[in-house]
Amino acid sequence: MLANESVQINNTKKNKILSVLLNIFFIILVISIFLPLIWLLINSLKSNNELFNNSLALPSKWLFSNYAEAWGKGLFSYFKNSLIVSSASLILIITISALLAYGLTRFHVKGGNIIFFIILGGMALSEQVALVPLYKMLQAMNLYNTYFAVILPYIAFRIPFTVFLMRAYFITIPKELEEAAYIDGYNSFQIFYKIIVPISKPVFASCAIVNLNFVWNEFLFANVFLESKEIMTIPIGLMTFQGDMKANYTVMLAGIVIASIPMILIFLSMQKQFIRGLTAGSVKG
Amino acid sequence: MMKRKKLVPYYYIIPGLFMVLFFVYIPVICNFIYSFFHLSSYSSTKVFAGFDNYIKLFTNDTFPIMMKNNIMYAVISLIVQVGFGTVIALLLESKLTGRLRNVYRNIYFLPALISLTAVGLLFTFIYSPDVGLLNSALRAMGLENLTQSWLGNSKTAIYCIIAMSQWQFTGYITLLMVVAIQNIPRDYLEAAAIDGAGPFRRAVNIMIPLVKEQLLVCSIITIIGAFKLFTEVYSTTSGGPGNSSQVLGVYLYQNAFLHDKMGLAAATGVLIFIITVTISIIQIVVTKSGKV
């Protein structure tokens, strides 16, 4: 007995040392993640001269005016465009995918397996392979250089992954729930929005975050399909902004910070639901 | 079982199916056709080219450079993101880190939320010869002779871009692996602990075997991502200096929209298609599931 106890005491001691070492390791990783970001923040508050003198020093005067200048000189408009494109895409991605996943999982559909295979197969097809034909199609449809030029492809390319996540979740919902509602006289659409949607909130939350991260940050389609400055989204706007701000580095850096903040805030406020929903199946969005 | 009008389920399915067929499948099929033509973005003239575009692609001097860069990106990302990322996940879930582990996990994930262009522009600054963080830090440490124009040097450019991606995405894989580890039934780990297995043995003998499917999924996602690489290179070097950091994705874009060789771009697209779809099929066969 006594020997056993001393082994255990030894173990806890060993664990304590291990735990301290591990925490040191994790903090070094935290520093390596934060270092570029802190450097960005510090220099975004400097004058150009100070940046060129010593980019490692703290600013002598904190120039919050860099942020005002970045916002006023174009970022506001890019931000607004991103809000329009992202919210429209996100609402439609979630709605269309939820309906599709519901149709595939809660009914016996003839050809359902083939349809499911076609939808999932879409995940293997990359944006680049569709780029040239989509460009020609959007021109032919007179949609090139409109919000629709990116919204429609965003929806189409995000449906497969979203259906995949939602399907995994819907399958776990017990059939008895709907049968009871069916007997109560609900039709299938009422079952969908009164039963399925409310209990699927966690998976909706993760789908929303993963897809929002995609549409908010998407660059390839936006760069090719949106031509005029007035409708550019934040990622291409930022590249244009860099060109406009050639001589004004620190305002550029302020622009990078402004462009990055929304997704970080949304993630931090929703991370619990996000992780919970991801457990259904995890994919790099 | 719900028995209703036979058409009802299709009302739910058709909008999504239509979007995917029309905006994903049809363009991909058209891309195949385009790859056999010479075509321009400004006119609708199409001239049949046979395998001309493919011959141009494969015999081009940049082709071996692109393949090397895409493959290097894949290999290094596998080692750092999947390998190191999994080790971090196992250490985080080893219960030795206490309550801080969710904080660590979230911090590591943060860079993945920043757009590729913002990260690209940020690192263009970090690597810049005069004001950049990297050279400034080297000078501050007295390592003046190591400073250089990181992205302007054809030997270092692609590795700087790869390093940037590791900074951005290692935490993403860590998060995915943490989620998989948390899905392991608690009893397995408790039983092993009672049997005297320490944290290290629990990680190697129990956690890894139980998350090996997720590990494979992460590996495949990472390899496929390496062959779709575009924004990271476009926003930093655009493939330069020379063609030293050129990759398939940027080559496709430049041929389509700068050099007006859409047929050659389409042929590059077909190559990306073949590589990524082959890897996806391998995954489906190995995991025997529809998970992608």
Side-chain angles (χ1 to χ4, degrees), chain A residues 223-234:
Chain A
N223 187 39
V224 175
F225 303 152
L226 301 177
E227 199 182 22
S228 50
K229 260 188 171 179
E230 290 73 42
I231 65 163
M232 281 181 181
T233 52
I234 273 250

Side-chain angles (χ1 to χ4, degrees), chain B residues 127-199:
Chain B
Y127 291 135
S128 101
D130 311 315
V131 298
L133 171 63
L134 190 52
N135 277 354
S136 301
L138 286 171
R139 274 192 290 268
M141 291 188 289
L143 298 166
E144 190 85 40
N145 52 343
L146 288 180
T147 61
Q148 56 170 301
S149 169
W150 296 96
L151 290 173
N153 180 339
S154 61
K155 286 203 179 78
T156 50
I158 187 66
Y159 295 100
C160 289
I161 297 170
I162 295 173
M164 169 183 98
S165 292
Q166 310 316 310
W167 175 83
Q168 190 171 13
F169 290 119
T170 303
Y172 202 128
I173 300 286
T174 300
L175 178 83
L176 293 184
M177 293 312 297
V178 162
V179 168
I181 293 169
Q182 286 176 349
N183 275 348
I184 297 174
R186 288 297 114 206
D187 342 348
Y188 287 26
L189 297 171
E190 278 159 22
I194 290 165
D195 288 347

Side-chain angles (χ1 to χ4, degrees), chain B residues 91-106:
Chain B
L91 291 175
L92 280 175
E93 290 302 305
S94 68
K95 306 283 166 200
L96 287 169
T97 39
R99 254 173 278 162
L100 276 174
R101 66 175 191 275
N102 284 353
V103 177
Y104 293 138
R105 183 197 68 199
N106 285 350

Side-chain angles (χ1 to χ4, degrees), chain A residues 44-157:
Chain A
S44 73
L45 291 162
K46 279 184 188 169
S47 70
N48 265 305
N49 278 339
E50 272 191 292
L51 170 71
F52 277 95
N53 272 340
N54 183 1
S55 75
L56 297 182
L58 286 175
S60 61
K61 230 177 92 192
W62 302 74
L63 290 180
F64 290 97
S65 57
N66 286 340
Y67 282 77
E69 199 177 337
W71 184 250
K73 283 199 177 146
L75 275 199
F76 165 71
S77 146
Y78 304 139
F79 219 87
K80 181 201 76 191
N81 294 329
S82 271
L83 270 181
I84 294 169
V85 167
S86 301
S87 46
S89 307
L90 194 61
I91 291 167
L92 287 165
I93 291 167
I94 302 283
T95 312
I96 296 174
S97 303
L99 291 171
L100 180 50
Y102 175 67
L104 281 175
T105 51
R106 316 308 285 183
F107 297 92
H108 273 293
V109 188
K110 235 186 186 175
N113 279 338
I114 297 167
I115 295 170
F116 180 60
F117 186 79
I118 291 172
I119 298 290
L120 274 200
M123 273 203 274
L125 304 177
S126 77
E127 291 88 340
Q128 278 140 341
V129 186
L131 187 68
V132 171
L134 264 179
Y135 172 78
K136 293 243 168 203
M137 271 168 68
L138 292 164
Q139 275 189 328
M141 292 158 68
N142 268 329
L143 292 175
Y144 176 74
N145 201 28
T146 67
Y147 290 132
F148 288 109
V150 286
I151 293 174
L152 294 172
Y154 286 172
I155 297 168
F157 272 87

Side-chain angles (χ1 to χ4, degrees), chain A residues 17 63 65 68-69 114 124 174 189 196 199 207 212 217 235 250 262 265:
Chain A
I17 296 167
L63 290 180
S65 57
E69 199 177 337
I114 297 167
F189 187 70
I196 304 289
I199 44 183
C207 289
L212 184 62
N217 293 329
T250 53
L265 289 184

Side-chain angles (χ1 to χ4, degrees), chain B residues 47-69:
Chain B
V47 182
F48 185 70
F51 283 96
D52 208 28
N53 290 320
Y54 289 95
I55 294 166
K56 269 194 195 129
L57 170 64
F58 292 124
T59 57
N60 199 302
D61 287 344
T62 34
F63 183 72
I65 302 173
M66 293 190 287
M67 289 310 286
K68 191 204 102 205
N69 286 342

Side-chain angles (χ1 to χ4, degrees), chain A residues 15 18-19 22-23 25-27 29-30 32-37 39-40 51-52 55-56 96 99-100 102-104 106-111 115 117-139 141 152-153 155-157 159-160 164 175 178-179 182 186-189 191-192 209-210 213 217 219-220 223-224 235-236 238-239 242 249 252-253 256 259-260 263-264 267-268 271 274-275 278-279 282-285, chain B residues 1-4 8-10 12-13 15-17 19-28 30-31 34 39-44 81 84 88 91-92 94 96-97 100 104-119 121-126 130-133 136-137 140 167 169 172-173 175-176 179 182-183 199 214 217 221-222 227-231 234-235 249-250 252-253 256-257 262 265-266 269-270 272-273 276-277 280 290-292:
Chain A
N15 281 352
L18 257 177
S19 152
L22 268 183
N23 275 300
F25 168 74
F26 285 131
I27 287 164
L29 285 182
V30 167
S32 70
I33 292 290
F34 273 149
L35 205 60
L37 298 176
W39 184 82
L40 167 70
L51 170 71
F52 277 95
S55 75
L56 297 182
I96 296 174
L99 291 171
L100 180 50
Y102 175 67
L104 281 175
R106 316 308 285 183
F107 297 92
H108 273 293
V109 188
K110 235 186 186 175
I115 295 170
F117 186 79
I118 291 172
I119 298 290
L120 274 200
M123 273 203 274
L125 304 177
S126 77
E127 291 88 340
Q128 278 140 341
V129 186
L131 187 68
V132 171
L134 264 179
Y135 172 78
K136 293 243 168 203
M137 271 168 68
L138 292 164
Q139 275 189 328
M141 292 158 68
L152 294 172
I155 297 168
F157 272 87
I159 286 174
F164 167 66
K175 285 227 188 293
E178 316 164 43
E179 273 160 17
Y182 183 50
Y186 280 28
N187 65 33
S188 68
F189 187 70
I191 292 175
F192 172 70
I209 293 184
V210 176
N213 194 25
N217 293 329
F219 180 74
L220 180 67
N223 187 39
V224 175
I236 7 161
L238 211 54
M239 292 291 280
Q242 181 212 23
Y249 289 135
M252 232 298 287
L253 293 172
I256 297 177
S260 310
M263 273 317 301
I264 291 178
F267 169 73
L268 291 179
Q271 55 97 7
F274 174 62
I275 308 268
L278 260 195
T279 51
S282 25
V283 178
K284 192 170 178 177
Chain B
M1 216 34 49
M2 291 194 285
K3 269 191 194 164
R4 252 157 287 161
V8 169
Y10 294 100
Y12 296 103
I13 292 169
L17 184 62
M19 287 299 289
V20 174
L21 288 178
F22 195 77
F23 289 103
V24 180
Y25 278 88
I26 290 181
V28 168
C30 286
N31 189 76
Y34 286 2
L39 67 163
S40 137
S41 52
Y42 306 109
S43 69
S44 52
Q81 292 177 31
F84 186 56
I88 301 171
L91 291 175
L92 280 175
S94 68
L96 287 169
T97 39
L100 276 174
Y104 293 138
R105 183 197 68 199
N106 285 350
I107 291 171
Y108 302 155
F109 183 71
L110 283 188
L113 295 163
I114 306 173
S115 76
L116 294 169
T117 23
V119 171
L121 294 179
L122 167 60
F123 274 76
T124 308
F125 268 96
I126 287 174
D130 311 315
V131 298
L133 171 63
S136 301
W167 175 83
F169 290 119
Y172 202 128
I173 300 286
L175 178 83
L176 293 184
V179 168
Q182 286 176 349
N183 275 348
Q214 175 72 340
V217 171
I221 296 163
T222 306
F227 285 95
K228 300 201 300 195
L229 184 62
F230 172 74
T231 313
Y234 181 84
S235 65
V250 176
L252 183 156
Y253 169 84
F257 302 103
M262 289 202 146
V270 171
I272 296 174
F273 172 87
T276 51
V277 170
S280 303
K291 284 189 191 170
V292 178

